[in-house]
């Protein structure tokens, strides 16, 4: 029986994903990305409030969709990022995959919470109630719980290397489970509430709402990328702090 | 196969000999089921309408209570490390442990059902349906709980984190388990039972791999 | 017993962000015992865990030559750590029989193993009643009941008195005479006659 | 500003809440990053001083 260490092929990906290299090249990316995010939001908000007409069915409440839809999209996209990073952690044991997972979890939770909040705000004028036990709202709420559980698990571990691999297992199990939860919630909803107010396909999408929707989705995605990158950088720095502190404590302890 | 049966019979023996745990579990299930009517009020029609929900919430909580000890004692006394040198893979051994755990924590709930059925005013049909859903659904609870127990086995205060992870994942079991009782829908019961059984089969088949992976990581 | 040799090359191990083993290499051939000595925190236990396949090193490899390639990994070694893996609530015999079944030994060797461990007559007692020394003897009885060529023992004589230590030494001598191998992490001297070499580990990064 | 119609308060609340949450997220991320950077700078300096 032979054990081999994870091979390091010095390909382009390995090189840019090495923690030291990563810190080097991302340093020059953060500021442009932040500026691009700000510009996209400026453009998006202008289109949302000044350059798009009210929807012929929803009226002005359509303007809430321009925040709701991008945050809802990010709430799932974050999980996809965590899922692929979890595979990176378990299969290749890549340190940057650990860092990416850890950085994405709070962002996912925040965007999911925002999607729920904007959904509730939109629900009041549309359904007449803030919270409707609607299939989408309910499964989004469960998704929020899963994010919070994963964050709690991260925090329960002292050894962050072990935490990354354990959390990866939960993330993968969650990924298998989320569709099942979605299905069960939909099944439950047809049981209790045959006629849903909120049609999944939505009202026919007019071109006039498509532009602000796309621009805002782009802006939110850029925001996620920026925040994720900065948080990854912070996490790499924290690990560096930890090893420096360890070395210092060892030196001060007068170890032989 | 010898290893599989050895684990199964050892866990059953230990569970039955330390009979206190078994009794506590059943007692907890019944107490939760009996306490909820106090919160709702002694309205018999309402209670019998709520009975499936009460039974399933009690079952969920009782199962949650039992998961932490699934791997902890084997982890702490070094047995898990030795399992890695067995002739059977750790996945297989974990599967054996899951079956033993279900026999010790899922099945007794069914045995305690008549008490709750009486107190909650469940009809005979309702009683049998409740028994069927518990039988079909609790293996899935065991499977999800095993994953929660495995990922927190290395944590001293793991008992607190595990339920937060396990409960959202158990939602489908709760939905199908109680959904079977819906009187308004024709075929809801058989549909829900099928879905529960499918969920239990798939999760019992897959959970050992996830749990064994987490146990290997925790053992390092 | 098959002629298995053990070799580890260039093992590098980090745990919790700390270097534990730096470029550890060792080789053990049949009939030979290797004593790992060194201060606390030098990585003796970690080295055994790596050899047992319970810890994956960052670099380097562990090789068994002469092993049956079809056998499941690590099915030809015994690792005995600090924790005895003995359950109270089961009798002495049930404990041993359980491990024989799980690890793939032969049940008919059980009586001899218990006899050799000085536990004859206690078969039906609850293992929770045993003293720490007796528990350790029961844990070591696994080595006799389930023959495997490589023994990886972590402080085998801790919790044992002088007699017990002597017994462990004899166990080892018989095992090596039969062509077995052993790697032993210990800070106590094990009274034992046989072919052995000693390797002293030092604390990494000091 | 354009007229947001009869439900303007919900629209305002949506955007105000989003600004609040995203602002908090940015602030948190930024302050955590800053704290980590100053800490690591201090540790690196201490290490250099020790080596010298």
């Amino acid at each position: 029986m032979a054990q081999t260490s994870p091979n390091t092929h010095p390909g382009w990906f390995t090189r840019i994903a090495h923690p030291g290299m990563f810190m080097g090249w991302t340093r020059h990316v953060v500021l442009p990305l932040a500026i691009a995010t700000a510009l996209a939001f400026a453009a998006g908000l202008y289109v949302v409030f000044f350059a798009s007409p009210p929807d012929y069915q929803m009226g002005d409440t359509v303007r809430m969709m321009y925040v709701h839809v991008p945050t809802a999209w990010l709430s799932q996209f974050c999980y996809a990022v965590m899922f692929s990073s979890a595979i990176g952690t378990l299969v290749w044991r890549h340190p940057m995959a650990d860092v990416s997972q850890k950085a994405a979890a709070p962002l996912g939770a925040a965007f999911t919470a925002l999607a729920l909040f904007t959904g509730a705000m939109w629900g009041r004028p549309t359904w007449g109630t803030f919270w409707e036990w609607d299939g989408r709202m309910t499964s989004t709420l469960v998704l929020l719980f899963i994010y919070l559980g994963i964050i709690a698990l991260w925090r329960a571990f002292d050894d962050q290397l072990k935490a990354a691999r354990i959390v990866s297992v939960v993330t993968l199990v969650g990924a298998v489970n989320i569709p099942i939860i979605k299905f069960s919630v939909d099944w439950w909803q047809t049981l209790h509430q045959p006629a849903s107010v909120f049609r999944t396909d939505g009202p026919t999408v007019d071109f006039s709402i498509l532009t602000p929707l796309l621009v805002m989705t782009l802006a939110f995605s850029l925001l996620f990328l920026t925040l994720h990158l900065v948080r990854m950088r912070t996490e790499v720095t924290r690990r560096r702090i930890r090893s420096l502190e360890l070395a210092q404590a060892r030196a001060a302890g007068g170890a032989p | 196969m010898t290893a599989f049966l050895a684990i199964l019979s050892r866990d059953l023996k230990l569970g039955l000999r330390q009979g206190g745990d078994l009794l506590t579990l059943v007692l907890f299930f019944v107490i939760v089921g009996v306490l909820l009517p106090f919160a709702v009020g002694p309205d018999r029609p309402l209670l019998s309408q709520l009975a499936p929900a009460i039974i399933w919430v009690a079952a969920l909580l009782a199962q949650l209570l039992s998961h932490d000890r699934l791997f902890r004692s084997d982890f702490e006394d070094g047995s898990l490390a030795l399992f890695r040198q067995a002739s059977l893979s750790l996945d297989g051994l974990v599967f054996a442990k899951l079956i033993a755990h279900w026999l010790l924590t899922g099945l007794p709930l069914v045995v305690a059902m008549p008490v709750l059925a009486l107190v909650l005013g469940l009809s005979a049909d309702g009683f049998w349906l409740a028994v069927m859903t518990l039988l079909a659904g609790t293996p899935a609870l065991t499977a999800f709980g095993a994953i929660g127990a495995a990922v927190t086995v290395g944590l001293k205060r793991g008992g607190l984190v595990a339920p937060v992870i396990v409960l959202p994942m158990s939602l489908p079991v709760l939905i199908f388990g109680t959904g079977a009782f819906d009187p308004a829908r024709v075929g809801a019961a058989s549909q829900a039972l099928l879905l529960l059984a499918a969920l239990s089969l798939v999760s019992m088949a897959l959970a050992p791999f996830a749990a064994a992976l987490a146990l290997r990581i925790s053992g390092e | 017993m098959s002629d298995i040799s053990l070799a580890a090359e260039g093992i590098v191990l980090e745990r919790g962000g700390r270097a534990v083993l730096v470029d550890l290499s060792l080789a053990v051939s049949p009939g030979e015992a290797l004593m790992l000595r060194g201060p606390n925190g030098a990585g003796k236990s970690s080295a055994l865990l790596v050899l047992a396949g319970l810890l994956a090193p960052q670099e380097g490899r562990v090789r068994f030559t002469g092993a049956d390639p079809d056998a499941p990994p690590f099915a030809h070694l015994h690792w005995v750590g600090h924790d005895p893996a003995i359950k109270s609530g089961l009798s002495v015999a049930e404990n041993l029989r359980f491990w024989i079944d799980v690890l793939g030994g032969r049940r008919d060797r059980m009586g001899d193993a218990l006899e050799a461990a000085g536990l004859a007559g206690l078969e039906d007692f609850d293992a929770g009643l045993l003293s720490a020394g007796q528990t350790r003897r029961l844990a070591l009885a696994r080595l006799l009941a389930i023959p495997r060529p490589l023994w990886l023992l972590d402080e085998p004589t801790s919790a044992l008195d002088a007699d017990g230590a002597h017994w462990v030494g004899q166990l080892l001598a018989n095992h090596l005479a039969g062509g077995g191998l052993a790697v032993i992490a210990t800070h106590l001297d094990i009274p034992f006659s046989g072919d052995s070499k000693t390797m002293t580990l030092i604390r990494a990064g000091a | 500003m354009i007229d947001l119609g009869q439900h303007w308060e919900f629209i305002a609340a949506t955007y105000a809440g989003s600004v609040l949450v995203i602002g908090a997220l940015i602030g948190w991320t930024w302050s955590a990053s800053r704290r980590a950077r100053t800490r690591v700078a201090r540790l690196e300096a201490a290490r250099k001083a020790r080596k010298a």
Side-chain angles (χ1 to χ4, degrees):
Chain A
M1 178 63 195
Q3 290 182 333
T4 43
S5 60
N7 288 325
T8 40
H9 307 288
W12 65 271
F13 182 75
T14 315
R15 271 185 280 122
I16 64 160
H18 178 273
M21 290 293 282
F22 175 83
M23 292 305 275
W25 70 264
T26 52
R27 180 174 301 133
H28 310 293
V29 175
V30 172
L31 193 63
L33 209 53
I35 292 170
T37 308
L39 288 178
F41 266 111
L45 289 172
Y46 172 76
V47 179
V48 165
F49 284 111
F50 300 103
S52 72
D55 187 70
Y56 72 97
Q57 267 185 337
M58 289 191 271
D60 278 305
T61 54
V62 73
R63 296 189 209 281
M64 286 190 254
M65 298 309 281
Y66 303 141
V67 208
H68 177 67
V69 172
T71 47
W73 137 255
L74 276 184
S75 73
Q76 298 184 4
F77 181 69
C78 268
Y79 206 91
V81 168
M82 276 162 55
F83 176 77
S84 37
S85 306
I87 292 178
T89 295
L90 284 178
V91 178
W92 295 287
R93 296 204 179 186
H94 201 290
M96 289 316 292
D98 300 9
V99 168
S100 160
Q101 271 191 85
K102 195 179 180 189
L107 294 177
F111 285 118
T112 310
L114 212 49
L116 283 171
F117 169 72
T118 54
M121 284 296 134
W122 184 79
R124 183 67 228 260
T126 315
W127 296 330
T129 165
F130 284 110
W131 181 259
E132 185 64 43
W133 286 95
D134 159 77
R136 277 197 195 183
M137 295 281 276
T138 315
S139 29
T140 307
L141 183 64
V142 177
L143 181 62
L144 178 63
F145 290 149
I146 291 178
Y147 274 123
L148 295 177
I150 286 175
I151 294 172
L153 195 61
W154 269 111
R155 291 175 164 252
F157 279 90
D158 294 329
D159 180 354
Q160 292 294 293
L161 290 173
K162 189 175 276 186
R165 302 179 63 212
I166 291 279
V167 170
S168 301
V169 177
V170 175
T171 305
L172 295 190
V173 171
V176 176
N177 235 297
I178 287 169
I180 301 178
I181 292 172
K182 180 86 177 77
F183 170 76
S184 73
V185 169
D186 286 345
W187 186 86
W188 172 77
Q189 201 199 355
T190 59
L191 209 61
H192 296 277
Q193 198 190 355
S196 174
V197 204
F198 187 51
R199 277 170 46 209
T200 328
D201 45 345
T204 35
V205 175
D206 191 74
F207 183 73
S208 65
I209 78 166
L210 205 61
T211 318
L213 203 57
L214 284 180
V215 180
M216 284 301 269
T217 305
L218 177 72
F220 270 96
S221 304
L222 282 172
L223 175 69
F224 168 76
L225 279 184
T226 314
L227 289 175
H228 189 228
L229 200 63
V230 174
R231 297 187 71 85
M232 278 174 79
R233 286 175 56 85
T234 306
E235 190 54 34
V236 172
T237 311
R238 282 207 188 116
R239 294 188 175 198
R240 174 101 185 107
I241 290 174
R242 196 169 157 71
S243 68
L244 283 173
E245 280 178 343
L246 217 70
Q248 199 162 335
R250 209 158 296 272
Chain B
M1 201 58 204
T2 338
F4 189 88
L5 291 178
I7 299 252
L8 193 64
S9 73
R10 178 190 73 151
D11 277 16
L12 286 177
K13 246 185 244 169
L14 282 170
L16 291 174
R17 282 188 196 166
Q18 295 156 355
D21 286 350
L22 199 65
L23 192 68
T24 315
L25 181 81
V26 171
L27 210 58
F28 182 85
F29 175 61
V30 172
I31 288 177
V32 170
V34 170
L35 271 186
L36 281 176
F38 286 99
V40 174
D43 180 349
R44 281 193 72 83
L46 180 64
L47 273 180
S48 62
Q49 203 189 334
L50 287 180
I54 293 175
I55 288 167
W56 265 98
V57 167
L60 201 64
L61 293 179
Q63 284 257 306
L64 211 56
L65 201 68
S66 70
H67 294 317
D68 193 49
R69 59 160 193 241
L70 177 53
F71 299 116
R72 191 164 293 274
S73 101
D74 278 341
F75 183 75
E76 282 170 358
D77 76 1
S79 298
L80 266 177
L82 291 191
F83 286 164
R84 306 266 301 269
Q85 285 136 40
S87 44
L88 186 62
S89 73
L90 190 60
D91 315 306
L93 299 180
V94 168
F95 185 48
K97 283 190 75 70
L98 286 199
I99 291 177
H101 189 73
W102 179 75
L103 290 173
L104 288 169
T105 62
L107 210 52
L109 300 187
V110 175
V111 178
M113 264 296 298
V115 183
L116 282 190
L118 272 178
V119 179
L120 298 173
L122 212 55
S123 65
D125 284 350
F127 169 74
W128 285 114
L129 193 54
V131 168
M132 296 277 275
T133 56
L134 277 183
L135 279 178
T138 43
L141 291 184
T142 302
F144 292 132
I147 294 172
V151 295
T152 54
V153 77
L155 295 171
K156 295 222 164 37
R157 48 193 194 283
L160 216 57
V161 190
V164 177
I165 293 163
V166 172
L167 276 179
M169 293 188 181
S170 308
L171 179 67
V173 184
L174 190 67
I175 287 179
F176 297 137
T178 51
F181 292 86
D182 198 288
R185 181 148 146 175
V186 184
S190 58
Q191 201 182 0
L193 276 175
L194 279 177
L195 288 169
L196 271 182
L199 194 59
S200 286
L201 281 177
V202 171
S203 57
M204 272 298 236
L206 295 183
F209 295 100
L213 180 58
L215 290 175
R216 275 190 210 112
I217 296 167
S218 300
E220 285 189 358
Chain C
M1 207 167 272
S2 56
D3 281 336
I4 286 182
S5 326
L6 164 73
E9 291 151 17
I11 303 287
V12 174
L13 180 72
E14 262 182 45
R15 280 177 98 173
R18 190 172 87 80
V20 181
L21 298 173
V22 181
D23 198 17
L24 172 77
S25 297
L26 53 83
V28 188
S29 37
E32 199 177 38
L34 175 67
M35 302 285 174
L36 295 178
R37 311 290 299 244
N40 286 343
K44 300 190 295 282
S45 298
S46 300
L48 283 188
L49 288 171
V50 169
L51 294 178
L54 294 168
L55 269 186
Q58 271 74 30
E59 277 174 46
R61 49 197 286 166
V62 177
R63 251 205 312 238
F64 299 101
T65 45
D68 177 7
D70 294 335
F74 310 111
H76 32 255
L77 61 85
H78 272 299
W79 170 81
V80 181
H82 296 275
D83 303 313
I86 299 296
K87 283 260 184 292
S88 61
L90 294 181
S91 74
V92 169
E94 278 170 335
N95 263 303
L96 189 56
R97 194 179 306 127
F98 169 71
W99 283 116
I100 289 175
D101 286 349
V102 169
L103 299 177
R106 280 166 43 202
R107 284 191 179 193
D108 52 4
R109 284 169 160 271
M110 202 169 83
D112 294 340
L114 285 176
E115 177 88 47
L119 296 169
L122 296 176
E123 286 91 345
D124 296 331
F125 281 58
D126 188 324
L129 297 172
L130 298 183
S131 69
Q134 284 170 318
T135 308
R136 168 126 319 235
R137 281 166 177 269
L138 179 53
L140 289 170
R142 275 201 297 268
L143 304 181
L144 302 173
I146 308 148
R148 287 183 173 186
L150 174 59
W151 290 3
L152 302 170
L153 311 180
D154 198 350
E155 304 288 355
T157 53
S158 69
L160 289 178
D161 53 16
D163 272 359
H166 192 72
W167 173 69
V168 172
Q170 208 143 39
L171 229 58
L172 263 177
N174 289 340
H175 178 60
L176 299 182
L181 298 68
V183 181
I184 300 147
T186 183
H187 65 274
L188 302 167
D189 281 319
I190 297 176
F192 125 94
S193 59
D195 196 6
S196 89
K197 46 187 186 182
T198 301
M199 185 169 184
T200 307
L201 299 181
I202 53 160
R203 212 183 298 231
Chain D
M1 201 58 160
I2 58 161
D3 179 24
L4 288 177
Q6 51 174 333
H7 297 302
W8 70 271
E9 57 271 72
F10 295 105
I11 302 176
T14 302
Y15 281 88
S18 304
V19 166
L20 214 67
V21 171
I22 292 171
L25 205 59
I26 292 175
W28 177 38
T29 304
W30 189 71
S31 75
S33 149
R34 224 185 119 87
R35 232 176 309 136
R37 271 179 298 161
T38 45
R39 179 88 183 121
V40 85
R42 197 172 319 146
L43 284 168
E44 297 273 18
R47 194 173 70 146
K48 273 211 191 87
R50 218 176 33 249
K51 276 200 176 148

